Amino acid sequence: MNSRKWVRLFLTTLLLGGVLTLVTSFIFKQDSYVEVLQPFQLFELVGLILFFSGLGFIFSVISQMGFFAYLTVNQFGKGLFRSFWPALQLFLIAFTLFDLVYFRYQAAEEGSIGVYLLTALGILAISLVVAFIKAKETKSYAFIPALFFMVVVTTVEWVPALRAQGSDYIWMMIIPLLACNAYQLLVLHRLTNNKENAA
């Protein structure tokens, strides 16, 4: 992939992260908007929009760092573990999903395990759809690496929000992360025109 295509991927992913975080802020941070709209305060509203867009840009950069780190880890894993690499990825996927449910529930002072279970199942469902599309558009063996990236790498990228107090930033971060990761994964083989090395 040449530098022009890399810059295009970077900018489009950056824009996607910024726009999605801004949109989700209208839902999860509506109280902040109410404060600057009643009464109407133009500069504070612009500042709020810039803040949440900038936060989205940061989420996008985290997503892109994770993506390029994964490409390196995937090549390393294929070279080191060879035929065991797909099985190891499946184990890590299962462990990550278990971690998202059990350890988050244990760490929580209150709340139902159902919320954590639904969150993990939601991430898995989205990841399965993305991995299926990736495998369909490239090669069948791209399914497991794509699923690994969408589940494990996205969860690792999500850790800062999971450690934060309150659920607002948890949801505001996971939505753009999933979207940016899915976008990068599904556009890579189109930019490189190489289905063999797409995963």
Side-chain angles (χ1 to χ4, degrees):
M1 183 164 60
N2 60 38
S3 58
R4 183 177 61 83
K5 290 181 178 179
W6 182 86
V7 170
R8 177 184 165 196
L9 177 63
F10 174 79
L11 292 177
T12 52
T13 309
L14 196 69
L15 181 63
L16 180 63
V19 169
L20 276 178
T21 305
L22 181 60
V23 170
T24 54
S25 74
F26 295 142
I27 300 168
F28 297 106
K29 286 293 186 179
Q30 56 184 296
D31 293 342
S32 300
Y33 289 100
V34 169
E35 289 178 9
V36 299
L37 291 175
Q38 297 176 354
F40 181 73
Q41 303 167 58
L42 178 62
F43 291 109
E44 284 76 4
L45 178 61
V46 171
L48 210 55
I49 291 171
L50 291 175
F51 171 76
F52 287 120
S53 298
L55 196 61
F57 295 152
I58 293 171
F59 294 159
S60 171
V61 170
I62 291 171
S63 168
Q64 294 186 62
M65 288 170 54
F67 182 63
F68 286 104
Y70 164 72
L71 293 177
T72 304
V73 168
N74 189 46
Q75 291 301 318
F76 178 77
K78 286 194 289 189
L80 182 64
F81 299 105
R82 301 184 184 278
S83 60
F84 296 106
W85 180 230
L88 181 58
Q89 288 179 97
L90 287 174
F91 169 77
L92 291 172
I93 290 167
F95 180 79
T96 301
L97 291 171
F98 175 78
D99 184 28
L100 276 175
V101 178
Y102 182 75
F103 291 113
R104 286 185 67 205
Y105 175 68
Q106 290 294 319
E109 296 178 358
E110 57 183 27
S112 169
I113 195 171
V115 176
Y116 305 112
L117 186 60
L118 285 174
T119 301
L121 289 175
I123 291 173
L124 177 61
I126 292 169
S127 301
L128 284 169
V129 170
V130 173
F132 176 78
I133 295 170
K134 180 70 174 182
K136 187 177 180 181
E137 292 185 354
T138 57
K139 299 290 181 181
S140 59
Y141 57 75
F143 181 83
I144 293 176
L147 187 64
F148 176 84
F149 172 69
M150 288 300 299
V151 173
V152 178
V153 177
T154 300
T155 302
V156 171
E157 294 167 348
W158 196 26
V159 166
L162 292 175
R163 292 173 180 260
Q165 294 295 323
S167 62
D168 296 346
Y169 286 100
I170 289 177
W171 296 113
M172 282 180 59
M173 187 175 191
I174 190 59
I175 293 170
L177 278 181
L178 282 170
C180 288
N181 284 346
Y183 172 74
Q184 291 176 97
L185 194 64
L186 296 177
V187 82
L188 179 65
H189 58 274
R190 294 184 177 92
L191 290 178
T192 59
N193 295 317
N194 189 345
K195 294 186 178 183
E196 294 292 332
N197 298 318

